[in-house]
Amino acid sequence: MTTTLSTSRAASTPPAVPTRVRQSIRERVAPYAYVAPFFLIFAVFGLVPLLFTFYVALFDWNPIGERVFIGLDNFTRLLDDARFWNAAWNTISIWLLSTVPQLLLALGLAHLLNQARLRLAVFFRMSMLVPYITSVAATAIVFAQMFDRDYGLLNWMLGLVGVEPIDFKQSVWGSHLLIAAMVTWRWFGYTTLLYLASLQAIPRSLYEAAAVDGAGGWKQFRHISIPSLRPVIVFTIVTSTIGGLQIFTEPLLISRVSAVTCGPVRQCQTLTLFLYEQGFGQFQFGYGAAIGVALFLLIIVMATINYVLSTRTRSERS
Amino acid sequence: MKLRIAAPLVAIALTTAACGGGGGTSAQPSGDGKSFEFWSFTGIDQKKSVDRYQKENPGVQVKLTEVGGSTETAQALTTALAGGKVPDLVLIQGDDLPKFVQQPQNFHDLRQFGADKIKGDYLDWVISQSTAKGGEIIGIPTDVGGMAVAYRTDLFKEAGLPTDREEVGKLWPTWDAFIETGRKYTAATGKAFVDNAATSVFYQAVNQGPMKYYDPSGNVVYSTSPQVKTAFDLAIKAAQAGITAKQSSFSDGWSAGLGKGQFAVVSAPAWLLGQIERNAPDTKGKWDIAAIPGGAGNWGGSYLAIPKGAKNPKAAWDYITKTQSPQSQLEHFVDSGSLPTTPSVYKDPKLTGHKDSFFSDAPTGTIYTNSLLGLKPFHVGTDSAAIGQEFLNALENVEQGKGDAAKAWDAALANIKTAIGK
């Protein structure tokens, strides 16, 4: 191999100096030009609005009235606002309730779908995507009806075995569970396929060798599958942190009357809903933007914690 | 769930980026004068009025959009005003109006078209709500609420209560008597009496009197106004009496409950009758309408306004004058049940003689206008809607069995203070 390489290098005659400079400039610029569209679009639709949000957060801004510079007042008000902490707590609770089961379920399913002897494998794998491609609004409406206190399927079935109807939407835990169930249902298939793709990249011979050495299914899963999945698990944890902290549509749709507060005591109001309520319900753009900034910081903190935790466990194990 | 990191931030920023100070476009209207855009909300049936107007005025095109509920429509209007692209005419619900009246520079002062000359046609306390501090009139009232109680005659009969609307009205001269009647009903049938305490008791009682959340000079007094506390305590009492179905008004369960007889009584301002009819068409003839406990009062009502940036303000104004004249409001009432804001037609036989067949031929015109006659108007302020919502939330929480009744009042006051900052 070394010989081939050196011959090919020797064969190409070195170009004259001017061309070489021009070419190397082009070569250096080309990659940037190729990725430029992404950065331009990101700048226009991501970075500028982001910076503008920081700017808006410094004002008492009524869209149809006045705009007064108030410095960091919106942020100090936010820290004192029980509604903000309630929304932050709801968001984290719903995120945990939806992410943990979702990732575990996806791990298990991916392992099952990766079995060599599975019949109809393609069918099962494709069906994983069905919840993902279903509109989130449709999902929310169906779930809200299933979990309804008086006319819901779930309470009807509980009623058959003599359980009193449960009002999921009105209680804190009930509404969190309901929303978490929707999120889990919608995303587990997507995550499963990510894991499955990773699993498929593991050489079968590794499993066969392990089997020969006497390792059972569980041992194979723990010592071969999980370690190879680690990068993609870190990826899914980080992305589901980002997404989970921004849950909006599901709580908005399960209670359509008091939608932006998600119930009389804001029992399932998430941070994005609170942002929407303040920004577009009360039309306090400055305060809404301050909530946006707080959410942004929270996501960065949580994602970093997740990342550090999951990479640290890897270095300890290996 | 992935890659949506900046979505809410983007949404906020993009909307705000588009606004350079509200309503700056007051230049010459550029429209053709023959067509105009009209934003209404759902459930109020403006289409009938638009259709009639188009038939009588051939050649004029009205582009009617039902944006959503009344709150959503007001939100869309705010965004539109901030962004500069506005409809020519918009319907604004009474509770949402104060926010806009406070910023009159966003709307045409209707006096420039001659609103001064016709303002005497309307109930003065209603038109005063759309009059800004400087005297600008930004809205012409299309309808008012008026109050009454809708009840199921078949269920009342089963419970051994009278079914005639006069006698039923006599069962509850006061809200306390109303709650007592509820106890009797629930004891006799084992079923809930009224849909909920928050809307059907609190929201009605709080609207019956001269001082609600603001005093006449516009200071917030929600925490000290006796009218508010009395209404709140009544609702707590109703919730604790176990006579409510715990169905929040307009929720899916409420709509279903109307048809299934889950409750026998709903407090029903004039505009709610259409919703009962649409949600429970099979119950035709089983409902009737009686007077509300506590007598006079009003809940709801809407206004037509012309945003400053409208392209066809003249065409929009023509629509307002033709469809909101006393005679037209009377016709709209006969068509769709919206109660006129023009007292000159209150004695018209067309109104007094109107009977609603869905509600056992109840004389809705007479019942609802009667509830307006003894009315003592109260000041509606910028935060009236937000204050009302927090009271409703606190009551609903008690009703659902989650909140402590003894602490509910203080909790509501604290929440209002956080929400509106005073």
Side-chain angles (χ1 to χ4, degrees), chain A residues 60-67 279-286, chain B residues 15-16 18-24 73-86 92 96-107 138 307-308 382:
Chain A
D60 182 1
W61 189 316
N62 177 345
I64 57 167
E66 305 196 319
R67 140 170 55 145
F280 298 94
Q282 309 295 328
F283 282 106
Q284 304 189 2
F285 274 12
Chain B
T15 336
T16 46
C19 68
T73 309
Q75 283 175 3
L77 174 65
T78 312
T79 318
L81 290 172
K85 176 123 179 54
V86 290
I92 304 171
D96 300 309
L97 190 72
K99 262 187 275 189
F100 298 112
V101 176
Q102 287 248 317
Q103 310 286 348
Q105 74 279 8
N106 294 297
F107 295 90
I138 68 157
K308 203 53 156 282
T382 338

Side-chain angles (χ1 to χ4, degrees), chain A residues 92 95 234 237-238 241 297-313:
Chain A
I92 292 171
W95 165 66
V234 172
I237 288 178
V238 171
T241 308
L297 295 178
L298 182 71
I299 289 174
I300 289 182
V301 169
M302 301 284 280
T304 314
I305 293 175
N306 278 323
Y307 180 76
V308 168
L309 281 182
S310 39
T311 43
R312 179 167 296 169
T313 40

Side-chain angles (χ1 to χ4, degrees), chain A:
Chain A
M1 225 160 90
T2 13
T3 29
T4 343
L5 266 178
S6 51
T7 21
S8 71
R9 197 184 291 161
S12 60
T13 39
V17 179
T19 347
R20 191 189 161 86
V21 169
R22 216 184 305 144
Q23 256 192 359
S24 75
I25 287 177
R26 242 193 246 158
E27 275 165 16
R28 271 186 219 158
V29 170
Y32 293 104
Y34 282 125
V35 296
F38 167 76
F39 284 100
L40 282 176
I41 290 172
F42 173 74
V44 173
F45 293 105
L47 193 64
V48 171
L50 191 70
L51 295 176
F52 194 72
T53 306
F54 290 124
Y55 172 73
V56 175
L58 304 176
F59 289 86
D60 182 1
W61 189 316
N62 177 345
I64 57 167
E66 305 196 319
R67 140 170 55 145
V68 186
F69 182 80
I70 52 166
L72 295 176
D73 282 8
N74 278 326
F75 292 98
T76 46
R77 186 179 153 204
L78 199 60
L79 295 179
D80 277 341
D81 193 336
R83 298 172 301 175
F84 170 73
W85 295 111
N86 171 59
W89 155 246
N90 286 344
T91 309
I92 292 171
S93 155
I94 292 170
W95 165 66
L96 278 174
L97 284 173
S98 59
T99 307
V100 176
Q102 185 204 135
L103 299 189
L104 292 178
L105 185 68
L107 262 182
L109 279 172
H111 182 66
L112 282 181
L113 288 176
N114 195 37
Q115 302 294 317
R117 281 164 300 166
L118 184 72
R119 283 164 177 267
L120 296 172
V122 176
F123 169 77
F124 284 122
R125 286 169 194 168
M126 292 319 287
S127 63
M128 288 285 120
L129 272 180
V130 171
Y132 176 62
I133 56 173
T134 310
S135 126
V136 59
T139 309
I141 290 165
V142 169
F143 269 75
Q145 288 185 353
M146 269 170 38
F147 283 76
D148 189 83
R149 184 191 70 189
D150 299 302
Y151 310 110
L153 186 67
L154 200 71
N155 274 324
W156 174 74
M157 290 198 295
L158 287 175
L160 292 181
V161 291
V163 180
E164 284 287 301
I166 303 167
D167 199 346
F168 288 95
K169 291 179 210 166
Q170 290 297 339
S171 72
V172 176
W173 287 111
S175 58
H176 289 192
L177 275 175
L178 168 54
I179 294 165
M182 279 188 259
V183 176
T184 306
W185 189 79
R186 189 164 142 73
W187 287 99
F188 80 89
Y190 179 86
T191 317
T192 305
L193 290 188
L194 276 181
Y195 291 167
L196 182 62
S198 244
L199 285 178
Q200 303 246 298
I202 305 171
R204 290 251 160 240
S205 53
L206 264 179
Y207 288 101
E208 281 156 15
V212 170
D213 287 346
W218 172 245
K219 278 205 162 161
Q220 291 180 17
F221 180 65
R222 254 197 76 190
H223 296 286
I224 303 174
S225 304
I226 296 278
S228 349
L229 280 178
R230 197 151 272 142
V232 71
I233 292 178
V234 172
F235 171 77
T236 51
I237 288 178
V238 171
T239 48
S240 60
T241 308
I242 295 169
L245 293 179
Q246 294 184 63
I247 292 171
F248 178 78
T249 321
E250 291 88 351
L252 182 74
L253 287 174
I254 60 161
S255 63
R256 272 182 275 171
V257 182
S258 51
V260 289
T261 56
C262 198
V265 283
R266 301 168 189 271
Q267 63 263 39
C268 51
Q269 187 181 43
T270 56
L271 278 172
T272 44
L273 266 189
F274 184 48
L275 185 157
Y276 181 77
E277 183 199 3
Q278 294 304 314
F280 298 94
Q282 309 295 328
F283 282 106
Q284 304 189 2
F285 274 12
Y287 198 48
I291 301 167
V293 171
L295 179 61
F296 178 71
L297 295 178
L298 182 71
I299 289 174
I300 289 182
V301 169
M302 301 284 280
T304 314
I305 293 175
N306 278 323
Y307 180 76
V308 168
L309 281 182
S310 39
T311 43
R312 179 167 296 169
T313 40
R314 176 171 58 176
S315 53
E316 275 169 7
R317 291 248 180 123
S318 56

